[in-house]
Amino acid sequence: MILPMSSACSGGLFPGASPHGIIPKQFSRAPRLRVSIRGMRYLPSATKDLLICGAAGVEKSLGLGRNAGSQQGMHKNELHDKIRKQLRDVQLPPSSYDTAWVAMVPVQGSHQTPRFPQSIEWILQNQYDDGSWGTNLPSLVVNKDILLCTLACVVALKRWNTGRHHISRGLNFIGRNFSVAMDEQIVAPVGFNFTFSGLLSLATGTGLELPVMQTDIDGIIHIRKIELERDAYGTASSRRAFMAYVSEGLGNLQDWNQVMAYQRKNGSILNSPSATAATIIHGHNYSGLAYLDFVTSKFDGPVPVMYPQNAYSQLCMVDTLERMGISKSFACEISDILDMTYRLWMHNEEELMLDMRTCAMAFRLLRMHGYDITSDGMAQFVEQSSFDDSIHGYLNDTKALLELYKSSQLRCLEDDLILEEIGSWSARVLLEKISSKMIHISELPEVEYALKCPVYAILERLEQKRNIEQFKTKEQLNIEGFKLLKSGYRGVIPNDEILALAVDEFHSSQSVYQQELQDLNSWVAQTRLDELKFARLMPSITYFSAAATMFPSELSEARIAWTQNCILTTTVDDFFDGEGSKEEMENLVKLIEKWDGHGEIGFSSECVEILFYAVYNTSKQIAEKAVPLQKRNVVDHIAESWWFTVRGMLTEAEWRMDKYVPTTVEEYMSAAVDSFAIGPIITSAALFVGPELSEEVFRSEEYIHLMNLANTIGRLLNDMQTYEKEIKMGKVNSVMLHALSHSGGGGGGSPEASMEEAKREMRRILQGCRFELLRLLTRDAGVVPPPCRKLFWLMSKVLHFVYMEKDRYFTAEGMMASANAVILDPLQVTLPPSDSGTL
């Protein structure tokens, strides 16, 4: 792989860097994790212990002594078990608000008898000591959701004249805290101005005497009136959908026949138990009774704020585990979830397809896990109106919009107009929302990052560190506000446990990475590469490309082989770029061609001897290490990849020395593709990623096609960034050749215009190669095993990361910082304060 060069040849892309990298050769221990332990009071004990153990290195610190390892192992098992349980069986938390509305549903034909007495019983059994209902955690001050839930439960009990003492305590709570409902600075559940005022009207209608001034009640009800009369938010379609969602808050003001347009196949109104209950109470939607019967039976009385939402909850967990770098520990559970999701997708199930965020996330995860799906299921979102006219649009749901944008980047075909259109309008709308400050400050970093960093240029380990450091524990979520629906919703993801495992795993992996880097520095010295004055030896930067992509600790040999060959190909490329004479270059090519017979040829210089033996001995060592996995010695394949590489490099060197300019881009690429030197890197690393690679795999058209695509991507990215410098050096370049072919055609365009047109054409070809590479990666067939196919995609991501255009991405200093972030720098994880307020 050819690293970019700066004008300062001695420093390469990183002027001023040490020739041996940016990380010291010796480490006494892994870096101490910086974790604030403020606010640990409410964390599970296993979570606290593992975070503390991780912060101290888990060895002999904190006085744990020889039992530290066994304690940590026990805690990790507890955390794994909790996450695994939630993956297998989603536990949706009950919603006091929705349960209260369900409790108000009467038996059909008898308005004096409750249809769901078990829901009433749950209300009676779940009032807090202060008289409230809802999500009442120690760290929470009274909020609008708690007030809403309490009023709903009081009204439900009054409806059936039961729980007189409960009602009294609930009313006292409401009276003490009613000012919260009028405070516009306090975060409110979705539709609060409708749902709370609707309950106030219902309460006064049932004869409840609220310990609140009538003027305050009238003021809140007046707010509902104003919002009904104005048309300030969204389109007419999105407003109708939203009003259907908060139907229970409108009472007789609602057009209930219009609401029925939003009934799902399961009988519910938009999967909302409260809205469904309200339609039944108002004499509509008796088919919704079956839905409520099922939900109350499933949860034994209470109901969640939305049902079904198993698919969304499980997909969120899968996505979170992957983003935090610990999904491998739950591979079986994730496979089962994605199999289920695939079945839902193929059957076009409403739970998956009718919710924008769930559908987009399902598409993204299924495609990246190799499920055979087309983008047809996303066609419903091809127009911006799909967002504007939905509840998501009405509520300015940035996360749904962002999920659409992410899914649009997984485009495998140039003519996939569905994903192209979704990507175009979703990116535009996100940018508009940023410029108009319509994105909440807590969501802004994620949106800006997604727009800046396309999925094909993201290195997983670097992103995972960012995700870990920005991850919100349950405590932080409670402080900052719920993910709100109509009622407070804490979600089902075991955030604290996930964070603890992610912190521990990242800390452990850094210890492995540092030891491997130390070994690589020793290898550089053993191979005498550090004696070559022209060599751009940057083990830490080069190793970063492996650690940031093949991050699991067990892929150690793959990372080492990848890095060694990256260093070797870069050094050999520098040699062919002018550091070697023509005689020396031809000598090195003949030596590699002869391979084991190199003794027949001899060395024209010490430089050639160092280079050849570095390539030869390293390749043999890699092949020998791979024998247990591959059941044979495959050094011939590594040697062949090197032969193709140096042959292409020699051809380019001869062009430069003879001042020959290829007549076509195709002639240039015939040598330039192989000379980009990805062959030795991937061929060597592929031996250690898992499956046994037969002769058929290496000789298959698919493997050759994958290699050609990856090399082409690298070559075009390199050419687009270095063409100006290479023109001055007298080297040919695809951008220059394309510009010459067009300017020489009699078009009369300026050289600048021809160059811009050439770059546009190169970007188009590059995009096509990227689409095809992703298509091969995500298909559920092929001779090349999926783990091996993935290496080509990872290489493409590294190349896009390294060669991104100057005005958009990382500087040399940024690359150094990225390498340090993965290999050396400790995590910066801050837990929330414990004195955030209590009820």
Side-chain angles (χ1 to χ4, degrees):
M1 180 174 69
I2 303 172
L3 291 176
M5 295 189 298
S6 72
S7 56
C9 295
S10 61
L13 179 62
F14 313 102
S18 162
H20 295 291
I22 57 178
I23 297 177
K25 289 185 177 182
Q26 300 296 327
F27 299 92
S28 60
R29 61 168 65 89
R32 288 176 63 88
L33 178 67
R34 299 175 190 168
V35 180
S36 169
I37 58 174
R38 294 185 67 219
M40 283 185 150
R41 175 182 173 189
Y42 300 113
L43 293 178
S45 59
T47 306
K48 287 191 290 187
D49 291 342
L50 187 54
L51 281 170
I52 293 172
C53 288
V58 194
E59 289 87 14
K60 297 180 181 179
S61 54
L62 297 183
L64 293 177
R66 68 179 62 184
N67 293 323
S70 61
Q71 284 187 342
Q72 185 202 23
M74 177 182 67
H75 296 324
K76 287 178 69 172
N77 289 337
E78 291 176 10
L79 299 175
H80 275 107
D81 289 345
K82 184 167 184 178
I83 295 171
R84 189 167 285 113
K85 180 181 179 181
Q86 187 63 29
L87 275 169
R88 291 172 175 168
D89 183 20
V90 175
Q91 301 294 318
L92 300 177
S95 163
S96 301
Y97 172 77
D98 287 83
T99 302
W101 271 102
V102 171
M104 285 188 266
V105 175
V107 170
Q108 193 171 358
S110 175
H111 290 286
Q112 304 306 312
T113 307
R115 171 75 179 232
F116 301 104
Q118 66 271 43
S119 298
I120 299 172
E121 182 62 26
W122 183 88
I123 292 172
L124 292 171
Q125 296 297 325
N126 284 273
Q127 186 179 34
Y128 288 97
D129 292 340
D130 62 2
S132 69
W133 282 270
T135 304
N136 191 339
L137 296 178
S139 60
L140 286 180
V141 297
V142 176
N143 57 41
K144 292 183 178 181
D145 174 60
I146 294 174
L147 208 59
L148 177 70
C149 291
T150 302
L151 181 56
C153 289
V154 166
V155 171
L157 294 178
K158 177 62 176 177
R159 169 68 180 83
W160 305 113
N161 289 316
T162 188
R164 188 168 53 125
H165 182 59
H166 294 76
I167 293 173
S168 176
R169 290 197 297 145
L171 289 174
N172 286 335
F173 178 86
I174 292 170
R176 294 196 307 271
N177 297 284
F178 197 80
S179 60
V180 171
M182 306 172 68
D183 189 342
E184 295 182 0
Q185 301 304 311
I186 296 178
V187 177
V190 167
F192 179 80
N193 288 337
F194 296 102
T195 55
F196 192 71
S197 59
L199 283 169
L200 286 175
S201 297
L202 200 57
T204 56
T206 59
L208 272 172
E209 295 183 7
L210 297 170
V212 180
M213 293 180 62
Q214 186 61 43
T215 54
D216 290 342
I217 295 175
D218 293 341
I220 288 179
I221 293 176
H222 183 65
I223 293 174
R224 177 180 67 172
K225 183 174 182 293
I226 292 174
E227 289 206 21
L228 283 171
E229 291 175 350
R230 70 180 180 180
D231 190 19
Y233 304 107
T235 65
S237 296
S238 68
R239 186 172 176 80
R240 283 194 298 271
F242 175 73
M243 292 304 173
Y245 181 58
V246 296
S247 291
E248 67 274 17
L250 299 176
N252 294 327
L253 301 175
Q254 178 65 284
D255 181 346
W256 293 99
N257 289 320
Q258 184 174 285
V259 172
M260 296 306 296
Y262 298 93
Q263 186 178 32
R264 298 285 173 88
K265 290 179 181 178
N266 59 19
S268 73
I269 301 299
L270 297 170
N271 288 336
S272 167
S274 53
T276 305
T279 58
I280 297 170
I281 291 170
H282 285 272
H284 295 73
N285 190 24
Y286 285 111
S287 60
L289 283 170
Y291 166 79
L292 294 182
D293 283 338
F294 175 79
V295 178
T296 53
S297 175
K298 179 177 178 62
F299 294 96
D300 198 24
V303 296
V305 69
M306 183 173 285
Y307 187 86
Q309 61 171 330
N310 286 39
Y312 175 73
S313 299
Q314 289 183 311
L315 289 173
C316 279
M317 280 198 68
V318 171
D319 188 46
T320 299
L321 293 171
E322 291 189 347
R323 286 164 52 84
M324 297 290 278
I326 56 174
S327 59
K328 192 174 184 297
S329 298
F330 309 96
C332 292
E333 289 79 13
I334 289 174
S335 178
D336 290 343
I337 289 170
L338 293 180
D339 284 347
M340 177 273 295
T341 304
Y342 179 67
R343 290 192 293 271
L344 294 176
W345 183 278
M346 297 306 292
H347 288 91
N348 202 35
E349 291 290 341
E350 285 186 346
E351 180 182 0
L352 207 66
M353 310 306 288
L354 291 188
D355 180 73
M356 182 177 291
R357 199 189 302 185
T358 307
C359 184
M361 188 184 300
F363 174 79
R364 174 168 60 84
L365 291 173
L366 288 174
R367 173 152 285 189
M368 286 310 298
H369 281 265
Y371 288 82
D372 184 18
I373 59 171
T374 69
S375 60
D376 292 348
M378 299 290 289
Q380 58 184 316
F381 309 122
V382 77
E383 300 287 346
Q384 183 179 334
S385 58
S386 64
F387 177 78
D388 293 340
D389 293 343
S390 69
I391 295 178
H392 298 288
Y394 188 87
L395 297 175
N396 188 29
D397 187 350
T398 301
K399 289 193 177 295
L401 195 58
L402 186 59
E403 198 58 61
L404 274 181
Y405 174 71
K406 289 179 180 179
S407 67
S408 73
Q409 295 184 60
L410 300 181
R411 186 175 160 200
C412 296
L413 301 171
E414 287 192 67
D415 60 355
D416 190 338
L417 300 181
I418 294 174
L419 295 184
E420 181 179 7
E421 289 297 322
I422 292 174
S424 176
W425 73 255
S426 60
R428 184 181 65 252
V429 173
L430 285 169
L431 288 169
E432 289 172 356
K433 289 184 181 297
I434 290 175
S435 63
S436 59
K437 295 181 170 47
M438 290 182 63
I439 295 180
H440 193 276
I441 190 170
S442 66
E443 297 176 335
L444 187 59
E446 184 180 2
V447 174
E448 290 179 330
Y449 179 79
L451 291 171
K452 179 182 177 182
C453 307
V455 67
Y456 54 80
I458 289 176
L459 305 188
E460 281 82 354
R461 203 54 170 164
L462 191 61
E463 185 184 33
Q464 286 161 4
K465 183 175 188 182
R466 174 182 175 274
N467 292 336
I468 293 170
E469 292 181 334
Q470 296 184 1
F471 195 67
K472 292 178 174 59
T473 64
K474 289 177 183 176
E475 185 72 13
Q476 288 168 312
L477 291 172
N478 292 333
I479 292 169
E480 296 178 10
F482 301 114
K483 172 202 166 187
L484 291 175
L485 296 173
K486 283 189 292 188
S487 178
Y489 175 62
R490 288 176 287 134
V492 297
I493 297 177
N495 288 15
D496 300 333
E497 291 77 13
I498 288 175
L499 177 60
L501 285 177
V503 164
D504 178 72
E505 197 282 331
F506 192 92
H507 178 262
S508 298
S509 68
Q510 276 193 320
S511 299
V512 174
Y513 300 159
Q514 291 164 15
Q515 182 59 54
E516 289 175 0
L517 184 57
Q518 185 174 330
D519 294 342
L520 283 164
N521 281 320
S522 299
W523 166 81
V524 167
Q526 291 166 6
T527 55
R528 300 176 61 196
L529 289 174
D530 54 352
E531 297 179 23
L532 302 175
K533 302 304 181 184
F534 63 84
R536 291 176 292 155
L537 299 177
M538 296 171 287
S540 49
I541 295 292
T542 313
Y543 175 73
F544 160 66
S545 69
T549 50
M550 298 178 290
F551 56 87
S553 298
E554 63 270 19
L555 291 180
S556 176
E557 294 295 350
R559 285 192 296 274
I560 295 294
W562 173 296
T563 307
Q564 288 174 332
N565 279 278
C566 280
I567 292 172
L568 288 170
T569 53
T570 300
T571 306
V572 170
D573 177 67
D574 289 344
F575 174 75
F576 278 93
D577 260 350
E579 297 297 336
S581 66
K582 184 175 182 180
E583 178 188 2
E584 286 176 314
M585 288 187 281
E586 290 176 342
N587 181 219
L588 181 59
V589 171
K590 289 178 181 177
L591 287 165
I592 289 178
E593 182 181 14
K594 280 291 185 180
W595 202 248
D596 286 336
H598 61 272
E600 304 170 9
I601 298 173
F603 304 102
S604 60
S605 69
E606 185 180 22
C607 177
V608 171
E609 182 179 5
I610 291 174
L611 282 175
F612 174 75
Y613 276 127
V615 170
Y616 179 77
N617 290 332
T618 301
S619 298
K620 289 181 72 68
Q621 289 166 8
I622 289 171
E624 288 169 4
K625 288 180 182 178
V627 168
L629 281 172
Q630 299 301 325
K631 306 298 190 294
R632 61 194 178 104
N633 194 308
V634 292
V635 70
D636 288 347
H637 291 295
I638 303 176
E640 184 180 55
S641 67
W642 269 107
W643 158 239
F644 286 134
T645 297
V646 296
R647 186 182 63 179
M649 288 179 176
L650 178 61
T651 299
E652 286 189 311
E654 290 172 341
W655 289 345
R656 184 187 72 251
M657 290 184 289
D658 297 340
K659 297 183 179 180
Y660 172 77
V661 178
T663 57
T664 64
V665 174
E666 288 72 23
E667 182 185 0
Y668 165 75
M669 294 296 282
S670 66
V673 168
D674 284 338
S675 72
F676 193 74
I678 283 177
I681 301 169
I682 290 185
T683 300
S684 298
L687 303 174
F688 301 101
V689 294
E692 184 177 339
L693 303 177
S694 65
E695 191 74 15
E696 179 190 8
V697 170
F698 285 114
R699 301 300 177 196
S700 67
E701 291 184 7
E702 181 185 5
Y703 187 86
I704 295 169
H705 185 37
L706 285 163
M707 189 68 73
N708 186 64
L709 286 170
N711 268 319
T712 301
I713 287 171
R715 174 53 62 195
L716 293 179
L717 286 168
N718 176 268
D719 284 3
M720 283 191 290
Q721 191 175 81
T722 62
Y723 71 92
E724 292 176 334
K725 184 188 304 177
E726 291 185 338
I727 290 174
K728 294 177 183 177
M729 294 170 61
K731 295 180 64 177
V732 292
N733 181 292
S734 61
V735 177
M736 178 190 72
L737 288 173
H738 192 278
L740 287 174
S741 67
H742 279 67
S743 62
S750 67
E752 293 80 8
S754 297
M755 199 63 74
E756 287 304 314
E757 170 59 31
K759 287 193 287 185
R760 280 194 295 271
E761 177 62 16
M762 293 302 103
R763 290 191 190 100
R764 186 192 65 78
I765 297 172
L766 174 64
Q767 180 177 258
C769 290
R770 195 168 59 237
F771 290 160
E772 174 65 4
L773 187 57
L774 185 58
R775 184 188 70 81
L776 293 173
L777 170 71
T778 57
R779 68 174 182 170
D780 189 26
V783 176
V784 182
C788 184
R789 271 184 272 158
K790 187 177 181 180
L791 284 179
F792 293 94
W793 177 246
L794 295 179
M795 175 60 78
S796 174
K797 296 180 81 168
V798 169
L799 294 169
H800 279 89
F801 181 89
V802 171
Y803 287 104
M804 192 63 73
E805 295 178 34
K806 298 174 185 176
D807 61 340
R808 288 192 58 199
Y809 227 67
F810 289 103
T811 61
E813 292 77 15
M815 188 72 77
M816 287 173 143
S818 296
N820 270 339
V822 170
I823 303 169
L824 180 63
D825 293 343
L827 284 166
Q828 301 290 327
V829 179
T830 302
L831 297 178
S834 60
D835 54 351
S836 56
T838 57
L839 285 174

